[in-house]
Amino acid sequence: MPTTETEFLHEVAASEYKYGWETNVEADTIPKGLDEEVIRLISAKKEEPRWLLEWRLRAWRHWEKLAANPSEAYPRWPHLTYTEPDFRNITYYSSPSKKPRYESLDEVDPKLLETFERLGIPLAEQEKLAGVAVDVVLDSVSVHTTFKEELAELGIIFCSFGDAVQEHPELVQKYMGSVVPYTDNFYAALNAAVFSDGSFCYIPKGVRCPMELSTYFRINQAGTGQFERTLIIAEEGSYVSYLEGCTAPMRDENQLHAAVVEIVAEANAEVKYSTIQNWYPGDNEGRGGVYNFVTKRGICKGDRAKISWTQLETGSAITWKYPSVILKGDGSVGEFYSVAFTKGQQQADTGTKMVHVGKNTKSTIISKGISGGRSNNSYRGLVKINKGAERARNFSQCDSMLLGDRCGAHTFPYIEIKNPSAQVEHEATTSKIGEDQLFYCFQRGIGEEAAIKLIVNGFCKEILAKLPMEFAVEAQKLLDIELEGSVG
Amino acid sequence: MALLEINNLHARIEEQNILKGVDLTVGAGEVHAIMGPNGSGKSTFAAVLAGREEFEVTDGDVLYEGNDLLDMEPDERALEGVFLAFQYPVELPGVSMNNFLRQALNQQREHRGEEPLPAGAFLKRMRECAALVSLDPQLMSRSVNDGFSGGEKKRNEIFQLAMLEPRLAILDETDSGLDIDALRIVADGVNALRRSDRSFVVITHYQRLLNYIVPDVVHVMADGRIVRSGDKSLALELEEKGYDWIREEAVAA
Ligand SMILES: Nc1ncnc2c1ncn2[C@@H]1O[C@H](COP(=O)(O)OP(=O)(O)O)[C@@H](O)[C@H]1O
Ligand SMILES: [Mg+2]
């Protein structure tokens, strides 16, 4: 046979990133480097209130202390090999310089609009057709938020983090850092000190957000770190589905993405957070690519609150990410549904933490890892049942699929149970993509590439089905593109 | 010209020789039964014809419609009309029967230069073929073979045969594990699919299937070779005397 399956799988794993171009937009960029002045400059540029500058500076001092002792500062436990970013060589603020705020789409730099279209999110179209409100964060500044007025009528606030600081400082001050304090970890501290923008979302009591709220992140400027913060507050009995998509152009150097996402769900509120992460993964020799160090956490504050994280992770050179839920309210529910696909030289260490505090709390974890090329794909999950969490339940299922024989899959489940009434179930499987399954497809006339797509999509199906409809279609397309390779 | 002409076929896996010189000629529209004790190489033979890579062909040749079958990729063989009903059908979790068969059928149609079958016509065809083997149409929205009963899996193979309309159908112990009612359903389905331009190679361990699917020729395989061929009465003789008789002859030969 001219192409063996293994060779084919290697080709698949070597197929290239399709979103790598750069937009030439004039940018207002501050010099590289990080010191107190940089933080004051960011805060000043954003015309921030004093309390926020002070909060940043406290975070900065904490981070400096951590950074002074690198052997303890950086998270060493993930199953990842990389050189720490050089924090002096990063630009911490960059914004398209032409106009900082846009009132209507006509004012937006056409080049930016073109970028959005190449990303497959034509804002103008989406405004009319999809009914998706989009907040685009390009590098550091939120460019445009659609549907703001319609949402405002319901009392929903959906805007850039920067706008929220100006217009709703009391909400920001109350909740920012309440779920992920700056002391949480090294990158959370860094983010708190230098974060440039992000998204803010507030759903008032009893309101069901009538549309999916969506944010598209993209790193554009060379050598820029993206440090966005997202804060979602769902008041009692409210509901929101929030979508986040990410891409970055191809670059030789590693770009840093250190985001923080905080979710607060009050009693009977439900927040569904879906991510498609497709940051540039670097080339096949492992040059370039985004370092994705993200802290995402939600708290089910009230009784019967629910938070679901659903993610498709296909990008980044390094991914370090554990969307978590603190189940504080009695009867609250946490869910984590994840597909992580790695190829080339990518490394992903991702999973979740479910911390059961309240009684009758319930969590579900379903993780599907697919690794190709020379990549490494790890699941790391913590299920913690606190003493007072009577009759807490968890179900975890972690399945790994290997495409080829040069990649790795690892599962690190941690379980801490302090209440004997807990019911915790964990299942894990690892399999090479089945020779039998491939042969069965071939025998029906389905070729190698189509067969691999079919089997991998089947493997991920129960997760992709959890994504909102249009996002699911996009996710499937993305996965198909990632799996693409030419049959020899 | 015969549809299938096999000469002196040798195949091995991991240094172990399994097929040791199979000769077989199948004419268009004929039904050939291959019987033989467990471990004699019947499934290996079927897998080698379908192009399973684990088996290495070390000698011999196979002509299918005058072309070198061994030179074709497994999916190419399928597109050229070679169908294998698996002894152990494979589960494809998350891949719906609908999606799987639509892809298979449309690949075939594309191969023949035809347009994809419109959704309506496809569904109609699925229902007809499912009815042929009394397969619950509800199964079409389930994952391929996932959670199917043993009997459903076997009927699913014949259902797919009906959908894909091959010119050479190889049935590997489709009867094993079926009760008498299911056996009849499968056999009736196969009989309904017999055509002058479709040949069958029916591999079976037991004679009883051949009461329903009446073969033109019966072959006996032992130790990787066809050691005896005859008409359908050979199957009855085997049933009576058991395989030891054949095995002794094979060793003596
Ligand atoms: N994948 C395999 N690896 C090693 N040996 C095999 C494999 N498949 C079949 N064999 C061996 O080949 C011989 C023939 O097996 P098979 O073709 O399944 O026989 P049958 O279908 O007639 O029962 C047996 O000895 C079996 O152990
Ligand atoms: Mg067999």
Side-chain angles (χ1 to χ4, degrees):
Chain A
M1 287 183 63
T3 329
T4 67
E5 272 151 37
T6 317
E7 279 167 23
F8 172 73
L9 291 166
H10 292 163
E11 273 172 43
V12 166
S15 74
E16 289 188 32
Y17 188 67
K18 308 261 158 120
Y19 296 88
W21 73 88
E22 185 177 340
T23 311
N24 277 314
V25 182
E26 280 178 58
D28 174 14
T29 302
I30 65 172
K32 286 180 178 176
L34 183 55
D35 55 25
E36 195 171 316
E37 272 320 295
V38 166
I39 289 156
R40 288 182 184 278
L41 194 59
I42 292 171
S43 189
K45 273 189 182 291
K46 301 183 69 64
E47 296 162 32
E48 285 176 354
R50 174 116 212 119
W51 60 263
L52 187 48
L53 172 63
E54 275 163 11
W55 190 74
R56 284 179 183 275
L57 290 173
R58 282 200 298 277
W60 155 248
R61 281 176 212 124
H62 180 72
W63 183 82
E64 264 203 310
K65 245 184 278 159
L66 294 175
N69 189 2
S71 62
E72 281 174 34
Y74 308 136
R76 291 291 174 208
W77 38 264
H79 192 79
L80 303 169
T81 322
Y82 62 98
T83 322
E84 287 302 330
D86 178 358
F87 296 99
R88 282 176 314 273
N89 207 21
I90 290 173
T91 306
Y92 287 89
Y93 185 84
S94 168
S95 81
S97 67
K98 276 209 167 150
K99 213 162 190 259
R101 288 275 198 288
Y102 303 92
E103 296 307 326
S104 92
L105 222 48
D106 306 336
E107 297 171 43
V108 176
D109 187 329
K111 287 229 179 74
L112 272 185
L113 291 179
E114 204 184 303
T115 304
F116 302 147
E117 258 148 61
R118 287 161 95 168
L119 287 169
I121 45 156
L123 281 185
E125 282 303 303
Q126 288 207 2
E127 268 190 316
K128 294 188 195 82
L129 297 175
V132 177
V134 180
D135 185 33
V136 177
V137 181
L138 188 85
D139 285 345
S140 312
V141 164
S142 171
V143 177
H144 187 89
T145 308
T146 58
F147 275 106
K148 213 164 155 179
E149 281 124 58
E150 282 103 313
L151 293 172
E153 276 168 31
L154 290 165
I156 295 172
I157 305 166
F158 179 45
C159 62
S160 71
F161 205 92
D163 284 353
V165 168
Q166 302 299 333
E167 290 160 29
H168 310 280
E170 69 300 336
L171 286 174
V172 176
Q173 197 169 5
K174 178 172 172 195
Y175 289 105
M176 184 177 70
S178 71
V179 192
V180 181
Y182 62 75
T183 47
D184 192 79
N185 66 70
F186 185 75
Y187 291 103
L190 180 64
N191 174 289
V194 303
F195 79 91
S196 30
D197 213 329
S199 292
F200 177 84
C201 171
Y202 176 85
I203 316 290
K205 189 170 168 179
V207 171
R208 259 191 94 81
C209 184
M211 62 186 84
E212 247 102 49
L213 300 183
S214 160
T215 305
Y216 228 99
F217 293 108
R218 179 169 156 84
I219 297 178
N220 195 57
Q221 209 66 31
T224 317
Q226 183 150 339
F227 306 93
E228 81 277 357
R229 282 191 88 85
T230 300
L231 177 55
I232 299 174
I233 301 148
E235 292 283 15
E236 203 178 315
S238 66
Y239 167 85
V240 64
S241 166
Y242 188 90
L243 317 178
E244 171 201 65
C246 320
T247 47
M250 289 196 236
R251 293 188 190 287
D252 282 348
E253 80 264 40
N254 296 105
Q255 285 174 287
L256 177 60
H257 176 249
V260 169
V261 176
E262 298 178 280
I263 300 176
V264 178
E266 297 289 356
N268 295 306
E270 179 177 353
V271 178
K272 212 174 132 101
Y273 194 105
S274 311
T275 307
I276 294 183
Q277 187 266 113
N278 186 29
W279 295 118
Y280 177 51
D283 65 16
N284 284 321
E285 275 71 56
R287 273 189 304 263
V290 171
Y291 285 0
N292 192 30
F293 301 133
V294 174
T295 308
K296 289 182 165 179
R297 189 176 304 148
I299 181 164
C300 289
K301 231 171 158 177
D303 294 349
R304 293 168 306 279
K306 179 175 175 184
I307 295 176
S308 306
W309 299 101
T310 306
Q311 57 176 32
L312 169 64
E313 302 278 320
T314 67
S316 298
I318 312 274
T319 299
W320 177 99
K321 177 178 172 184
Y322 316 91
S324 305
V325 184
I326 299 166
L327 297 147
K328 185 158 171 275
D330 290 347
S332 59
V333 175
E335 294 173 337
F336 175 76
Y337 301 115
S338 170
V339 172
F341 176 73
T342 53
K343 62 181 184 182
Q345 310 247 357
Q346 279 177 283
Q347 303 176 58
D349 192 290
T350 181
T352 185
K353 285 188 237 171
M354 294 290 175
V355 181
H356 293 251
V357 181
K359 300 184 181 71
N360 297 309
T361 44
K362 191 181 155 198
S363 62
T364 305
I365 298 171
I366 301 180
S367 161
K368 307 270 178 178
I370 304 137
S371 7
R374 295 163 187 272
S375 68
N376 256 304
N377 201 329
S378 305
Y379 167 82
R380 184 181 308 277
L382 168 68
V383 176
K384 189 171 174 183
I385 313 277
N386 283 4
K387 216 166 170 184
E390 289 294 328
R391 294 172 305 280
R393 278 174 296 158
N394 163 268
F395 173 75
S396 303
Q397 183 189 328
C398 306
D399 299 324
S400 307
M401 182 183 272
L402 302 171
L403 308 178
D405 44 23
R406 295 187 296 182
C407 47
H410 316 272
T411 306
F412 304 98
Y414 305 91
I415 299 172
E416 281 176 38
I417 300 178
K418 301 223 171 81
N419 185 307
S421 66
Q423 278 180 40
V424 175
E425 256 179 273
H426 179 87
E427 291 173 8
T429 64
T430 300
S431 57
K432 188 157 181 283
I433 187 170
E435 302 283 337
D436 288 344
Q437 294 182 330
L438 286 171
F439 183 66
Y440 194 70
C441 294
F442 298 164
Q443 214 303 302
R444 298 308 186 240
I446 299 170
E448 287 173 315
E449 189 170 314
I452 288 173
K453 284 183 185 175
L454 207 59
I455 294 165
V456 171
N457 271 306
F459 178 69
C460 306
K461 190 179 186 177
E462 63 175 309
I463 306 295
L464 298 186
K466 305 267 183 207
L467 290 168
M469 179 68 158
E470 290 188 34
F471 224 40
V473 172
E474 193 183 328
Q476 165 131 26
K477 266 196 255 166
L478 176 62
L479 201 56
D480 279 353
I481 289 172
E482 295 297 326
L483 286 164
E484 231 152 66
S486 50
V487 183
Chain B
M1 182 186 68
L3 178 78
L4 184 69
E5 222 180 295
I6 300 167
N7 287 305
N8 193 32
L9 183 64
H10 286 69
R12 67 175 178 198
I13 187 164
E14 291 158 9
E15 307 303 308
Q16 188 190 345
N17 295 319
I18 297 173
L19 299 185
K20 300 172 181 171
V22 178
D23 296 305
L24 178 70
T25 301
V26 178
E30 291 176 357
V31 175
H32 289 237
I34 297 183
M35 304 184 68
N38 281 331
S40 58
K42 302 184 298 294
S43 289
T44 302
F45 176 61
V48 167
L49 291 183
R52 181 103 206 192
E53 281 170 55
E54 284 92 322
F55 297 101
E56 187 196 348
V57 174
T58 50
D59 203 359
D61 48 57
V62 179
L63 287 180
Y64 171 72
E65 297 181 325
N67 299 313
D68 183 356
L69 186 74
L70 300 177
D71 200 34
M72 296 185 211
E73 301 286 337
D75 54 323
E76 217 180 322
R77 299 181 197 197
L79 295 175
E80 287 295 332
V82 176
F83 182 92
L84 171 62
F86 284 62
Q87 180 173 5
Y88 304 107
V90 178
E91 297 176 6
L92 302 177
V95 180
S96 74
M97 286 286 297
N98 263 316
N99 191 9
F100 180 69
L101 274 170
R102 210 177 52 233
Q103 286 217 25
L105 196 65
N106 285 338
Q107 296 258 3
Q108 283 210 358
R109 292 175 69 89
E110 193 185 319
H111 185 71
R112 292 195 298 257
E114 295 167 11
E115 293 293 309
L117 202 60
F122 174 74
L123 289 173
K124 182 164 174 278
R125 171 113 167 245
M126 287 233 302
R127 275 195 300 272
E128 285 165 5
C129 293
L132 192 72
V133 283
S134 308
L135 200 62
D136 183 356
Q138 298 286 331
L139 291 179
M140 298 306 142
S141 47
R142 299 232 319 251
S143 299
V144 178
N145 291 320
D146 196 9
F148 287 23
S149 72
E152 281 170 341
K153 284 183 180 172
K154 294 302 179 89
R155 278 183 285 153
N156 187 19
E157 294 296 291
I158 304 306
F159 158 72
Q160 292 180 49
L161 194 166
M163 286 293 288
L164 297 174
E165 302 185 297
R167 294 192 291 282
L168 173 64
I170 304 160
L171 276 51
D172 190 1
E173 296 208 25
T174 302
D175 54 333
S176 63
L178 293 183
D179 62 30
I180 193 70
D181 294 330
L183 185 78
R184 282 210 73 136
I185 290 170
V186 164
D188 288 348
V190 170
N191 285 330
L193 293 167
R194 285 178 75 158
R195 276 171 32 170
S196 61
D197 59 353
R198 178 173 300 140
S199 310
F200 286 84
V201 173
V202 179
I203 294 170
T204 180
H205 187 70
Y206 302 103
Q207 184 272 336
R208 64 173 191 169
L209 178 69
L210 305 180
N211 289 334
Y212 304 103
I213 305 174
V214 181
D216 298 304
V217 191
V218 174
H219 308 274
V220 181
M221 185 174 275
D223 194 27
R225 255 184 297 251
I226 287 180
V227 292
R228 196 177 263 243
S229 302
D231 64 12
K232 62 184 182 200
S233 63
L234 178 58
L236 291 168
E237 197 179 344
L238 275 174
E239 183 81 348
E240 218 171 279
K241 297 193 188 167
Y243 283 115
D244 287 344
W245 155 65
I246 291 291
R247 219 177 266 134
E248 279 154 25
E249 266 190 26
V251 171

